[in-house]
Amino acid sequence: MPDIEIRLTVNGRKFARRCAPHLRLLDFVREELHLTGNKEGCGAGECGTCSMFVNGVLHKSCLLPVAKAQDAEIVTVEGLAREDELTILQRAFHKAGASQCGYCIPGMVMAATATLRRNPHADLEEIKEGLGGNICRCTGYQKIFAAVELARDVMNGALPATALEEETYRGSYIGASVRRLDAPSKVSGALRYAADMTMPNMLHMQVLRSPMPHARIAALDVSEAATMAGVETVLTCNDVPGVDNYGVFIDDQPVMARGVVRYVGEGIAAVVAENPLIARAALAKIKVRFEELPAVFDAEEAMQPGAPQLHDAYPGNVCKHTKIRKGDVERGFAESDLIVEETYETQAIEHAYLEPEAGLAYLDADGTVTVQAPDQNITHHRHMLARILNRPINTVRLIMSPVGGGFGGKEDMLYQGMLALAAIKTRRPVRYVFTREESFIASAKRHPFRIRYRMGLRKDGRILATSMYMIADGGAYAMSGPGVMNKAAILGAGPYAIPNVRMDAICVYTNNTPAGAMRSFGAFQSEFSTEAHLDLCAEKLGMDPIELRRVNAMRDGAITHTQAQLGSVSLLRTIEAAAQAARWAPGEPHRQTRGEQRPDLGGNDTRKPCTLGARLARITTPANTVGSASERKAVQT
């Protein structure tokens, strides 16, 4: 279709441009006018990062064709503040600490502005409703709500303008409200993330990804795509000049699939073209012939004899097995009055950071290749890139662009190698921006765990032995898996003094999407099972779960099961403070502490406390057993 002429007013300035008819308002403002304050997070109208005013009405600009904005008056986040003076609302966001990664904040500011314009006296519930179409993955919303309430009160005169000024503090910063230095750039939309960056003569990259979970690449023909008008080059594994294997702990991952694809979403070839539209069209011209291979999607099945083998160097698909042993676990079980066994499972989790993966690579005048990306591990990735590119490390540079949410998910290198190769081969700047769908399909997830837990206790609640057998689905490549296993084993037993401990944390290769780093890095899965298991044990002992933790809590000078000696241990104070804050009533169901009435069961209610952890435990595979050497009949399951 021919280009169309668009006339509109943006932030008070009139524009007339010819552009492709498929552009959305978001594309037009960002790519044609280079106003990048409002972001694209989802492309589906769900996250609200792209929110703009169109003729005074808040719109999700990723859903609005630019042709429908003909002759409209548009206001982006850049248009709210005038002459570098932040609005009261933006200053309130700064004061309240309402911006963390900052990626969602321009959209939040737009939605909050619309809310207070509709009702300058909006209460908290109306503020929440007004921001209901906007997603934040960092701050937890409370500071955002507080910022809007602060702005409302200043605008209405309920608070003086000085309420927006920075608080004074003396001595230690601890306990003081200190404003973030980068907040003004975030609330105004001035901070530039990787997808906001442009350079003259810039090219765009798109990646062909595998539709198969496990297959041999029998033939790969990129000739037709490479000769298309507007295509600068097509990259495959054959373009890697150095060592085509990298990884955070294990070098097992190629830049692009080399002979075999191991998960749906693995990169096979990269097209570099004048614009993303041409690059996507060229992807459709690449011919790939697959020979399907048997696939395995369950970690325990992958360890069985005869299971498909993903990497020859790791028999049984065991990527990493971390073992920790302390004391005599079997003797501890033999001396226990109660043995409780249970299986716990956690699922794979998508990080869902609002900023999709993106990057810009270019060559400096001296030949140094530079990659700018929201990269949470730039020093290690720089070393890996030098090996991949077969270049001296002083000619490889990584710059960490602002990270629009990461949670560990941008710690594992995924696309930087392709970008660097593209810049070197074309000798032009190259930008690559994931779609939300591509981020879902290709990026690393939190490891799903299956944990077989066995704990032996005395009748007084003292834990004598713990055994945790943890199997984690690492997906097709190791990524951060070995480190996650180490943390799971090191922290799995929790902050409890246990004389006999057996820990096994096993990361297994499967044909699922690779798993990597995510907040708490292995401790989440193992600690979840430990705390749930303690609740279950307390229920079986007829013991208050808080008291069970008190009995077993580490004290000052405790020695962990990794033989680390601790100094000051504040666990008991923490437990006491948590119990007090929760208004915990010993021996009573937790729901009673929230003012609910116990149901009238005719005076025959003899139910014991059943906490969330215990309920979750029973959802998983039941395997409860009770036993002891001296009193096996003392407690029945």
Side-chain angles (χ1 to χ4, degrees):
M1 293 179 64
D3 287 353
I4 58 175
E5 184 170 342
I6 295 296
R7 299 175 305 280
L8 39 70
T9 301
V10 180
N11 299 334
R13 293 183 58 197
K14 294 184 181 296
F15 292 92
R17 297 285 175 88
R18 295 196 67 80
C19 66
H22 71 273
L23 291 185
R24 304 163 298 173
L25 177 60
L26 178 65
D27 303 322
F28 182 86
V29 169
R30 286 177 55 83
E31 302 300 331
E32 296 293 327
L33 306 184
H34 302 292
L35 295 171
T36 57
N38 290 105
K39 316 298 181 188
E40 179 166 8
C42 66
E46 295 292 339
C47 71
T49 59
C50 67
S51 299
M52 300 175 190
F53 287 114
V54 181
N55 293 330
V57 179
L58 193 68
H59 278 270
K60 305 285 182 68
S61 62
C62 73
L63 298 180
L64 186 65
V66 69
K68 289 194 173 183
Q70 188 74 272
D71 298 319
E73 184 168 334
I74 311 298
V75 177
T76 71
V77 69
E78 292 95 337
L80 295 180
R82 296 298 183 185
E83 298 179 357
D84 295 327
E85 181 67 28
L86 297 178
T87 67
I88 290 176
L89 183 63
Q90 289 170 323
R91 291 171 63 197
F93 267 71
H94 186 192
K95 172 63 182 292
S99 63
Q100 192 164 323
C101 86
Y103 199 80
C104 75
I105 295 304
M108 287 285 184
V109 168
M110 300 298 285
T113 300
T115 300
L116 294 182
R117 284 180 180 177
R118 284 193 303 270
N119 181 5
H121 300 277
D123 62 14
L124 179 57
E125 289 308 310
E126 189 170 348
I127 290 169
K128 290 180 179 179
E129 181 69 23
L131 300 182
N134 293 67
I135 295 173
C136 176
R137 292 283 289 128
C138 294
T139 66
Y141 297 102
Q142 296 306 316
K143 290 184 178 181
I144 293 173
F145 297 149
V148 183
E149 289 185 296
L150 173 61
R152 175 202 62 199
D153 292 344
V154 171
M155 292 165 66
N156 292 330
L159 288 174
T162 54
L164 299 174
E165 296 176 0
E166 186 172 12
E167 295 177 15
T168 57
Y169 49 88
R170 297 176 182 176
S172 174
Y173 288 98
I174 297 174
S177 177
V178 182
R179 297 197 297 181
R180 296 178 65 106
L181 296 176
D182 59 359
S185 66
K186 292 175 177 177
V187 300
S188 64
L191 187 64
R192 295 172 71 84
Y193 297 81
D196 302 331
M197 298 176 183
T198 60
M199 293 185 74
N201 206 29
M202 185 176 74
L203 296 166
H204 298 263
M205 188 169 78
Q206 293 289 296
V207 175
L208 179 69
R209 298 192 175 276
S210 172
M212 309 282 286
H214 200 197
R216 185 173 291 107
I217 301 175
L220 176 62
D221 183 359
V222 302
S223 57
E224 187 176 356
T227 57
M228 281 182 60
V231 172
E232 189 74 10
T233 191
V234 180
L235 301 170
T236 68
C237 63
N238 296 326
D239 292 289
V240 178
V243 177
D244 192 16
N245 267 307
Y246 68 92
V248 178
F249 292 93
I250 297 173
D251 294 336
D252 62 355
Q253 187 167 2
V255 176
M256 288 165 281
R258 182 173 290 275
V260 176
V261 292
R262 295 181 173 90
Y263 71 98
V264 172
E266 182 166 6
I268 296 173
V271 173
V272 185
E274 296 293 338
N275 61 54
L277 209 61
I278 294 173
R280 292 189 194 107
L283 292 182
K285 302 295 184 181
I286 297 176
K287 298 179 177 63
V288 188
R289 182 165 60 84
F290 296 105
E291 293 178 358
E292 189 170 1
L293 297 172
V296 61
F297 304 102
D298 180 84
E300 290 195 80
E301 290 179 11
M303 298 170 67
Q304 301 305 313
Q309 184 74 30
L310 270 74
H311 300 275
D312 292 339
Y314 296 88
N317 289 313
V318 174
C319 166
K320 171 70 172 180
H321 185 172
T322 300
K323 300 179 182 179
I324 298 177
R325 303 289 188 264
K326 175 188 176 184
D328 187 338
V329 172
E330 292 307 321
R331 180 179 175 182
F333 285 134
E335 295 175 351
S336 297
D337 298 313
L338 170 69
I339 297 175
V340 180
E341 295 184 28
E342 188 56 85
T343 299
Y344 301 87
E345 293 186 356
T346 65
Q347 73 273 39
I349 297 176
E350 162 64 30
H351 299 77
Y353 27 70
L354 280 190
E355 179 203 26
E357 292 83 352
L360 175 67
Y362 55 90
L363 286 179
D364 288 337
D366 63 359
T368 297
V369 61
T370 300
V371 178
Q372 290 183 269
D375 192 325
Q376 295 182 289
N377 199 359
I378 58 174
T379 300
H380 190 190
H381 292 179
R382 180 177 178 233
H383 284 269
M384 291 193 290
L385 274 181
R387 293 176 64 239
I388 289 168
L389 302 175
N390 195 26
R391 283 176 163 240
I393 196 165
N394 65 309
T395 66
V396 178
R397 185 183 183 203
L398 267 75
I399 300 175
M400 184 178 181
S401 61
V403 180
F407 324 127
K410 292 170 181 171
E411 187 172 313
D412 293 293
M413 198 168 84
L414 186 63
Y415 56 96
Q416 291 86 338
M418 288 183 269
L419 265 175
L421 286 171
I424 292 169
K425 190 168 183 179
T426 64
R427 306 197 68 80
R428 291 171 62 180
V430 181
R431 190 176 75 183
Y432 179 33
V433 181
F434 281 45
T435 64
R436 177 55 60 186
E437 292 82 358
E438 192 174 14
S439 181
F440 280 160
I441 198 173
S443 66
K445 315 304 177 194
R446 188 195 288 277
H447 287 81
F449 270 56
R450 185 174 295 136
I451 301 172
R452 293 190 175 88
Y453 212 121
R454 194 171 189 230
M455 182 177 282
L457 309 93
R458 290 201 309 234
K459 287 185 291 185
D460 63 1
R462 179 70 63 184
I463 303 171
L464 297 184
T466 285
S467 173
M468 296 177 69
Y469 187 75
M470 299 174 273
I471 299 175
D473 186 340
Y477 296 103
M479 292 196 166
S480 294
V484 171
M485 296 307 103
N486 290 344
K487 286 288 182 126
I490 290 169
L491 300 174
Y496 304 108
I498 306 172
N500 306 292
V501 177
R502 177 170 60 215
M503 291 282 162
D504 290 275
I506 306 170
C507 187
V508 183
Y509 288 117
T510 70
N511 292 111
N512 293 318
T513 307
M518 191 173 183
R519 282 180 171 177
S520 81
F521 206 75
F524 164 78
Q525 297 93 324
S526 56
E527 289 286 358
F528 152 74
S529 64
T530 290
E531 296 303 324
H533 205 69
L534 285 174
D535 285 347
L536 192 62
C537 291
E539 185 177 17
K540 293 183 180 302
L541 286 169
M543 187 175 187
D544 181 76
I546 293 290
E547 182 60 27
L548 178 61
R549 287 165 171 82
R550 286 195 190 103
V551 167
N552 292 286
M554 287 182 175
R555 270 71 170 177
D556 292 355
I559 297 176
T560 70
H561 65 281
T562 59
Q563 301 305 307
Q565 184 165 7
L566 306 180
S568 174
V569 179
S570 59
L571 177 60
L572 279 173
R573 295 200 304 272
T574 302
I575 291 174
E576 296 294 342
Q580 184 176 3
R583 299 192 301 278
W584 184 266
E588 294 294 332
H590 182 54
R591 59 179 176 78
Q592 270 199 283
T593 67
R594 302 196 176 191
E596 295 180 33
Q597 296 296 317
R598 194 183 192 94
D600 182 6
L601 299 178
N604 296 317
D605 186 6
T606 58
R607 294 176 298 171
K608 293 179 180 177
C610 182
T611 62
L612 176 62
R615 291 198 298 272
L616 288 172
R618 289 203 292 267
I619 292 172
T620 60
T621 307
N624 299 323
T625 61
V626 178
S628 72
S630 59
E631 214 172 331
R632 230 169 246 284
K633 296 183 180 180
V635 184
Q636 295 297 326
T637 303

